[in-house]
Amino acid sequence: MKYVLVTGAGSGLGYELTRMYAERGDFVFACDVVISERLTELGQKFPEGILVEECDISSTESVERAIARAAEITSRIEDRKSVV
């Protein structure tokens, strides 16, 4: 299992990457500025594989909160995907 962080996870390519990683058994930190209903539902489908976290990458405080949350679960992230 890999630990993956995806920003822009609520729609488009970010959502598809989140879904793909979760389906193959990786743990995904799914971050977005606004948590969509679609992303929430995906998180509920994979409760042991997706952590949905609100994160605005333009805000240092927001990023630090998301990093702290991820650090509660793992000390490593093997893959990072940022989708604009």
Side-chain angles (χ1 to χ4, degrees), residues 17-28 42 46 49-50:
L17 286 167
T18 299
R19 182 189 56 75
M20 176 194 72
Y21 281 120
E23 284 180 351
R24 78 175 192 187
D26 296 329
F27 189 93
V28 184
L42 187 63
F46 296 97
I50 297 176

Side-chain angles (χ1 to χ4, degrees), residues 1-4 29 70 74-78:
M1 170 179 31
K2 288 186 177 184
Y3 290 90
V4 181
F29 299 98
T74 185
S75 62
R76 67 185 201 281
I77 304 256
E78 283 85 17

Side-chain angles (χ1 to χ4, degrees), residues 62-73:
S62 182
V63 171
E64 288 174 352
R65 275 192 307 273
I67 289 170
R69 185 79 167 102
E72 293 173 4
I73 296 170

Side-chain angles (χ1 to χ4, degrees), residues 30-50:
C31 301
D32 211 337
V33 174
V34 176
I35 305 304
S36 68
E37 183 176 329
R38 186 176 180 204
L39 183 57
T40 299
E41 290 171 359
L42 187 63
Q44 291 169 348
K45 182 177 178 182
F46 296 97
E48 300 298 317
I50 297 176

